[in-house]
Amino acid sequence: LQKMAELLGLGAECGEGAVGAAALASSCLADNRLNLDVYPDGCCRFLRLFEERQGEVVQVEFLRLSSNDPLLGSTLGILPHLKHLKSLVLKGGHARDVFGSCQHGSLTSLPSDFGNLRCLTHLDLSFNKLSTLPRCILRLPSLRVLLVSHNRLVALPEAFGSLSKLTFFSAMKNQLKDLPQSIGELAVLQNLDLSENDLESLPEEIGNLHNCTDLDLSGNRLSSIPESFANLKSLRRLHLHSNLLLTVPASLASLPNLSRLDLQNNCLRAVPPEIQTAPFVRLRGNPLGQAEPSPQADESSAKVLPRLFLASEEDSFTVTSEGCKVVLACGIRFCFPRGAASDPLRIFFRTLAPDPQWVKLRHHDVLLSRVLELQPHGIKFQQEVQIWMPYASPQTLHQREVVVRTFSGQSWSDLRTKVEQKRKSKKHVAHCSVLHFSWFLVVSRLVQNECKVPAEGTLLFSSVDPNIKVTFPPGVTAETRSVKLQVLPVSTEEIEEATAAAGCRASPLLCLSQDSLSAFLRPVRIQLPLPPGVTGLNLDRSRLHLLHGDLEGQTWDDITSQVVLEFTHLYAVFEVTHFSWYWLWYTTKTYIGGIAKKVYERLRMYQVNFIALQRKKDPEQVLLQCVPKHKVDPVLKKLQDRYRGPEPSDMVEMFEGEQFFAAFERGISIDMDRPDCVDGRLSFIFYSHLKNMKEIYVTSPVDRKGQAVKGQVSFYRGAIPESIPEDASRRRKGPDSLWLATLPIKLPRLRPRWGENPSPLNGFSFPPLNLGNAETGYLTQANLLSIARRVGADWQAIGLSLGLTYQQIERIGYNNREDLDKQILDMLFSWAQQNMEDPDCVSKLITAMKESGRQDIADDIEAIIDLGRQKYRASIRRVGLEQESSTEDSAVAMV
């Protein structure tokens, strides 16, 4: 009682008084749930709630707290008093360090009377600092789901098998070296995840897990597996990739329900023929067929780094002091030399769509790749790590260079980059070396020449146009400074097209910059070639203008009268003391600064067309794409076998990195809850060398049983980017100034697919479904039915990727022969029934869609799940703002 009083006193200290306590209680306590991990002061709120409304708090059945909370230790003592608790989440990872990596929680143990929670069925202690599993957990008689991933466990207690009701156990990303024999006593265990540990062997008793359907042992140090695996008759998916396996028993191929066996990235030189020929086995990354190295070859073979080939669904790999070469499914490659990492290090990776809010392109830059993020951020390697990034070939970009750009957390900088081309595929890759991991992307920029300018002076030439040079005389600077030179060639045709005047000529654009804020002590001498067709012999000096532009190209001033211009037969020479853009013009026009600004703006723009095509086999699938003018014909030719639609739109002009929207109109609608949907319109970002494409599932509120729907899709400009010149912004004002183009969309008359029965499942009767969990998001029966409408003749491939056996697929096909719709429904809902208890089933569904080539469905499922999570968190915050909120607001949002 004294300890309880101390805890309640601590709760009183962290509150805001009696009035604040009442508001706090009504804001957090919703029915039998307390979701406090979304609040930075969640434990403080819990303590206050327990003090003010103890009678209601002890009735709570679902509780979530962040173990990053500094008051967690004070809160743990109260938890054993919540006798009705069914689900408890004490998870870390809610806070991040300066590099953006998740921070583990502070939890290292649990109270001894924690085992009194006799109703507890779900316990999540992930992302903490547990080095041993608390003994009190073994006294939880109702526990069915236990998650202790991302901790520091080195062993499990010998009595671990006493958790007789456990159906799901995850201890991934720990330091387990062995397993207790009692693990075989978990008679009802269905999912076991022990990936990314240090397991070197497994007990024979693991073969007693007769109800286990999913077993993940990837990322360990196993050299063999027990023969008792042949007893795992319920096993559907077995993950053994990234181990040290030398042999595997042939009996694995005869497991009756096995639909996936992943043996990639091991040391298998030979496998039984039953396994090698099975269609569900993955063997990539093994030295199959290679002979054992002879003792004499040991020294030379030691220099060969092991190779890892990662599948599309994998997001991490382990690097040891031995080094390795890694190939990602997207084509990105890494080389970690020996000694690059002193201790085993887990590397996480992902590729992201570029967000113009933080991917800042400079003028005339062109983005050539997606953004690659590598974690942990900021970690320093002992030796340089090599990275090869594929990129879109800039075939139309001449006199430019390709570089890898990296983000330090504050700004982007360019790395020394070598461009290579693969021999077989002819694809281009950018090769760089780094000591730290962060974000990386590939860009094409103007060729950059640079040099160090000492006090003695120096000379800098342009490699694009050697006729352009900058001379730094002695005494030009007191301290050495770095100077960069870039040149943008401008053709006569571009000038005439932009100015609509045949008499205008201009030299290449010269940009000079330096790393010092101070001006030079002596004038710097610049040589520029005269505009095309102009020589020192026929020069009319009244028509020649030297323009100076600011670094953003917003203003162009005629400085001809402010400098001394000298002329040779081919060049103009002048002197300056500070750096920026310089441009020679030859014209009879008077207001040359405004003309140069307009031309400079046009040089940064791309002429594009919009296309809107519908799948021939499924007109509700609409492909939208923004294509540069010169690529339209090749793109249409590539798509014509699968899609049909109207002619491309008229040509419009867009800037690199500019946002635009697509709006479906006149009876055509889309899912407004998509993450990329803003005010009912799809958001795009235009990058000239990336695929500005989305495939969308459209519907119509109009009854299509009697008639087709003739709608349209219109494209509109989005928010004006910061880098767009003021004149361009000013011209885009007005009610119709944002409209770009409109293309027709026709949805044909709908034939009855699902029968006239009002039941949405057309004769199928299943109990209500909620696949997934509150953390990862749910899929409902309605969601699954919507997905079924998208699936076609590829349902068998999807079913196999989902883990259904060949026998199940054949039975579904036979039972619903001549009715494709029923086959699809039976396959999806059969899988859903089998996996509704699996908390990871939604992610497995997404992975299966991707593996089956249905990225469009996978994207929509992810959008549904993201929306559900957002609504769930929003409902919690909304309850926190509205004291009269109903208990329905705290439920997980559904789509």
Side-chain angles (χ1 to χ4, degrees):
L1 292 176
Q2 181 180 358
K3 183 177 180 181
M4 180 67 67
E6 293 175 357
L7 292 174
L8 296 180
L10 181 60
E13 291 177 7
C14 69
E16 301 89 12
V19 176
L24 187 66
S26 61
S27 69
C28 298
L29 188 57
D31 197 23
N32 61 348
R33 296 174 180 268
L34 267 177
N35 295 283
L36 299 172
D37 54 342
V38 297
Y39 299 103
D41 59 343
C43 287
C44 178
R45 292 178 180 238
F46 178 80
L47 293 170
R48 291 301 305 271
L49 281 169
F50 193 81
E51 176 186 4
E52 299 295 329
R53 300 173 65 174
Q54 180 174 341
E56 296 177 56
V57 172
V58 295
Q59 301 296 322
V60 165
E61 297 180 1
F62 303 90
L63 175 63
R64 297 178 66 95
L65 293 169
S66 168
S67 58
N68 295 110
D69 196 307
L71 292 179
L72 177 68
S74 304
T75 307
L76 291 176
I78 295 178
L79 298 184
H81 297 274
L82 308 184
K83 303 295 185 182
H84 300 278
L85 202 59
K86 294 181 179 179
S87 175
L88 176 62
V89 177
L90 299 174
K91 191 175 179 180
H94 294 274
R96 294 182 178 270
D97 59 20
V98 293
F99 297 107
S101 299
C102 293
Q103 289 185 325
H104 284 227
S106 58
L107 188 68
T108 57
S109 63
L110 292 172
S112 58
D113 53 350
F114 191 83
N116 297 336
L117 298 175
R118 307 191 66 81
C119 296
L120 193 66
T121 62
H122 175 270
L123 178 61
D124 189 348
L125 304 177
S126 304
F127 279 97
N128 279 293
K129 299 177 181 178
L130 296 172
S131 56
T132 59
L133 192 71
R135 294 279 178 178
C136 56
I137 292 179
L138 304 181
R139 301 197 304 272
L140 297 171
S142 303
L143 193 63
R144 297 181 60 195
V145 177
L146 176 60
L147 299 98
V148 289
S149 58
H150 295 270
N151 275 279
R152 302 173 181 175
L153 299 176
V154 295
L156 297 176
E158 287 297 329
F160 187 71
S162 63
L163 294 172
S164 58
K165 294 187 178 180
L166 201 64
T167 61
F168 185 97
F169 177 58
S170 174
M172 67 180 299
K173 291 181 173 48
N174 277 276
Q175 301 166 24
L176 297 174
K177 298 184 181 302
D178 52 34
L179 299 176
Q181 296 179 353
S182 65
I183 197 169
E185 300 173 13
L186 302 175
V188 297
L189 188 67
Q190 297 176 7
N191 293 76
L192 178 59
D193 188 351
L194 298 171
S195 59
E196 299 173 36
N197 279 277
D198 296 325
L199 296 173
E200 297 182 357
S201 62
L202 299 171
E204 286 286 340
E205 288 77 7
I206 200 170
N208 297 332
L209 301 176
H210 300 302
N211 285 300
C212 187
T213 59
D214 286 80
L215 179 55
D216 194 340
L217 295 165
S218 59
N220 282 280
R221 305 186 66 81
L222 299 171
S223 57
S224 64
I225 56 176
E227 291 287 344
S228 62
F229 267 48
N231 300 326
L232 301 176
K233 302 299 184 181
S234 300
L235 200 61
R236 296 177 188 161
R237 287 171 286 272
L238 176 57
H239 299 272
L240 291 166
H241 67 80
S242 306
N243 275 280
L244 303 174
L245 292 176
L246 299 172
T247 60
V248 289
S251 55
L252 292 180
S254 60
L255 291 175
N257 292 301
L258 194 63
S259 62
R260 179 164 182 174
L261 174 58
D262 193 343
L263 296 171
Q264 296 181 100
N265 301 323
N266 277 282
C267 302
L268 297 170
R269 299 182 182 276
V271 294
E274 301 95 322
I275 290 181
Q276 191 160 5
T277 57
F280 52 79
V281 178
R282 297 189 175 188
L283 289 167
R284 190 179 182 187
N286 284 284
L288 293 174
Q290 298 181 17
E292 289 281 352
S294 60
Q296 294 80 6
D298 284 348
E299 183 176 349
S300 60
S301 64
K303 299 179 182 179
V304 180
L305 297 176
R307 295 172 65 89
L308 300 178
F309 295 88
L310 302 187
S312 57
E313 69 272 12
E314 297 180 79
D315 64 353
S316 63
F317 57 89
T318 299
V319 176
T320 66
S321 59
E322 298 175 357
C324 63
K325 294 182 178 180
V326 182
V327 181
L328 306 187
C330 60
I332 297 174
R333 294 181 290 136
F334 307 98
C335 179
F336 296 84
R338 283 184 171 81
S342 55
D343 298 312
L345 177 65
R346 197 69 186 172
I347 303 296
F348 296 87
F349 62 88
R350 60 175 178 167
T351 57
L352 308 168
D355 184 344
Q357 292 185 352
W358 63 281
V359 176
K360 301 295 185 182
L361 295 178
R362 302 159 192 163
H363 286 206
H364 312 290
D365 282 351
V366 176
L367 187 63
L368 301 179
S369 74
R370 289 169 62 89
V371 179
L372 169 66
E373 182 183 9
L374 297 173
Q375 291 183 323
H377 296 162
I379 189 168
K380 185 173 182 179
F381 292 97
Q382 304 301 314
Q383 297 187 47
E384 286 189 335
V385 176
Q386 311 292 316
I387 303 177
W388 288 266
M389 292 183 64
Y391 63 88
S393 175
Q395 297 177 354
T396 60
L397 302 176
H398 305 293
Q399 298 176 315
R400 302 171 69 91
E401 59 187 353
V402 173
V403 295
V404 176
R405 188 166 291 173
T406 183
F407 188 63
S408 65
Q410 300 293 330
S411 60
W412 291 90
S413 59
D414 294 343
L415 301 173
R416 187 181 299 276
T417 305
K418 181 181 179 182
V419 174
E420 302 173 6
Q421 189 174 18
K422 297 182 180 179
R423 292 182 180 179
K424 293 184 179 180
S425 64
K426 302 298 183 181
K427 292 183 178 180
H428 293 79
V429 292
H431 176 203
C432 65
S433 305
V434 297
L435 286 172
H436 299 86
F437 274 177
S438 60
W439 292 268
F440 303 88
L441 51 81
V442 183
V443 299
S444 171
R445 70 179 187 188
L446 300 179
V447 175
Q448 184 170 283
N449 302 109
E450 56 184 308
C451 70
K452 297 290 185 181
V453 180
E456 296 79 14
T458 189
L459 183 65
L460 177 61
F461 285 90
S462 167
S463 59
V464 173
D465 187 344
N467 296 318
I468 299 176
K469 63 180 181 180
V470 183
T471 305
F472 299 89
V476 70
T477 179
E479 298 180 355
T480 301
R481 64 180 76 184
S482 178
V483 172
K484 298 177 181 178
L485 178 153
Q486 290 178 299
V487 172
L488 176 63
V490 185
S491 68
T492 302
E493 292 76 12
E494 289 175 310
I495 295 293
E496 292 180 350
E497 182 182 354
T499 60
C504 289
R505 299 285 188 275
S507 71
L509 256 170
L510 170 64
C511 180
L512 294 170
S513 60
Q514 59 170 323
D515 62 355
S516 175
L517 297 177
S518 57
F520 290 100
L521 300 180
R522 295 187 59 189
V524 175
R525 190 175 180 85
I526 298 174
Q527 174 181 293
L528 279 179
L530 291 170
V534 180
T535 67
L537 299 178
N538 62 9
L539 175 65
D540 181 351
R541 299 193 59 162
S542 65
R543 298 174 59 183
L544 190 70
H545 304 268
L546 176 61
L547 303 182
H548 167 268
D550 60 14
L551 290 177
E552 296 299 320
Q554 295 282 358
T555 59
W556 292 89
D557 299 321
D558 189 342
I559 61 171
T560 310
S561 60
Q562 303 173 24
V563 298
V564 177
L565 277 171
E566 303 175 8
F567 300 99
T568 66
H569 182 63
L570 298 175
Y571 309 114
V573 181
F574 56 94
E575 294 183 340
V576 297
T577 56
H578 59 278
F579 280 176
S580 186
W581 289 95
Y582 293 97
W583 207 356
L584 271 176
W585 274 71
Y586 193 74
T587 179
T588 57
K589 304 287 185 180
T590 53
Y591 182 53
I592 189 62
I595 297 174
K597 183 177 181 180
K598 177 183 177 181
V599 172
Y600 182 81
E601 176 187 322
R602 288 289 299 272
L603 292 174
R604 295 180 54 206
M605 300 182 77
Y606 294 85
Q607 295 180 337
V608 301
N609 300 87
F610 295 100
I611 60 175
L613 304 175
Q614 295 172 263
R615 278 186 182 262
K616 292 180 179 179
K617 294 184 178 180
D618 185 3
E620 294 176 338
Q621 286 290 120
V622 180
L623 183 145
L624 303 179
Q625 190 170 3
C626 177
V627 187
K629 183 177 66 174
H630 67 280
K631 294 183 180 180
V632 171
D633 289 339
V635 168
L636 291 178
K637 184 176 181 180
K638 185 178 181 180
L639 298 173
Q640 64 184 2
D641 292 337
R642 293 173 294 152
Y643 296 87
R644 66 164 59 96
E647 291 294 316
S649 72
D650 292 336
M651 186 271 294
V652 297
E653 293 183 328
M654 300 194 74
F655 288 92
E656 184 85 359
E658 183 175 355
Q659 185 184 37
F660 66 94
F661 294 97
F664 288 90
E665 301 162 341
R666 294 189 177 181
I668 306 291
S669 60
I670 60 172
D671 180 5
M672 299 293 185
D673 291 326
R674 291 172 54 109
D676 58 353
C677 192
V678 180
D679 296 329
R681 304 183 300 175
L682 288 173
S683 174
F684 292 77
I685 305 296
F686 170 74
Y687 292 104
S688 59
H689 281 65
L690 301 186
K691 290 184 178 180
N692 310 285
M693 180 182 69
K694 291 184 182 181
E695 194 164 7
I696 302 98
Y697 178 67
V698 301
T699 58
S700 175
V702 180
D703 185 3
R704 293 167 52 199
K705 293 181 181 179
Q707 62 178 353
V709 177
K710 297 181 180 180
Q712 64 184 30
V713 57
S714 296
F715 298 90
Y716 300 89
R717 294 191 188 275
I720 300 171
E722 297 177 0
S723 59
I724 287 185
E726 294 178 0
D727 284 357
S729 304
R730 194 177 303 115
R731 289 197 297 272
R732 294 182 185 180
K733 295 180 180 179
D736 298 323
S737 60
L738 299 181
W739 175 84
L740 292 167
T742 296
L743 294 171
I745 296 291
K746 181 180 179 180
L747 293 182
R749 180 178 175 180
L750 189 64
R751 65 179 180 87
R753 275 194 68 182
W754 309 98
E756 300 302 327
N757 191 324
S759 171
L761 297 182
N762 196 26
F764 288 87
S765 177
F766 299 110
L769 293 173
N770 270 337
L771 302 179
N773 54 59
E775 181 180 351
T776 60
Y778 286 107
L779 282 181
T780 65
Q781 191 182 70
N783 297 144
L784 210 59
L785 178 61
S786 176
I787 293 169
R789 294 179 182 273
R790 307 278 303 281
V791 178
D794 53 355
W795 69 271
Q796 293 176 320
I798 294 174
L800 291 173
S801 296
L802 285 172
L804 298 180
T805 64
Y806 291 98
Q807 294 81 2
Q808 288 176 298
I809 295 294
E810 290 177 357
R811 185 177 65 251
I812 291 172
Y814 179 79
N815 292 341
N816 305 283
R817 53 191 177 278
E818 298 181 0
D819 193 329
L820 177 61
D821 297 332
K822 287 186 178 181
Q823 291 172 348
I824 296 168
L825 283 172
D826 199 354
M827 179 274 294
L828 271 180
F829 280 90
S830 296
W831 170 82
Q833 278 187 306
Q834 296 173 11
N835 293 270
M836 59 190 305
E837 298 294 332
D838 183 355
D840 291 329
C841 62
V842 175
S843 62
K844 292 175 181 176
L845 177 60
I846 294 173
T847 300
M849 291 299 176
K850 292 180 180 178
E851 291 177 347
S852 306
R854 295 308 301 266
Q855 182 70 40
D856 56 319
I857 299 180
D859 291 342
D860 282 352
I861 298 174
E862 289 177 333
I864 291 171
I865 295 304
D866 287 341
L867 176 67
R869 283 196 292 259
Q870 293 170 15
K871 287 186 175 180
Y872 173 62
R873 292 182 177 271
S875 67
I876 296 172
R877 296 189 178 95
R878 185 167 63 251
V879 172
L881 295 174
E882 302 170 5
Q883 299 185 21
E884 302 300 327
S885 296
S886 67
T887 57
E888 294 179 358
D889 288 337
S890 64
V892 178
M894 293 301 172
V895 178

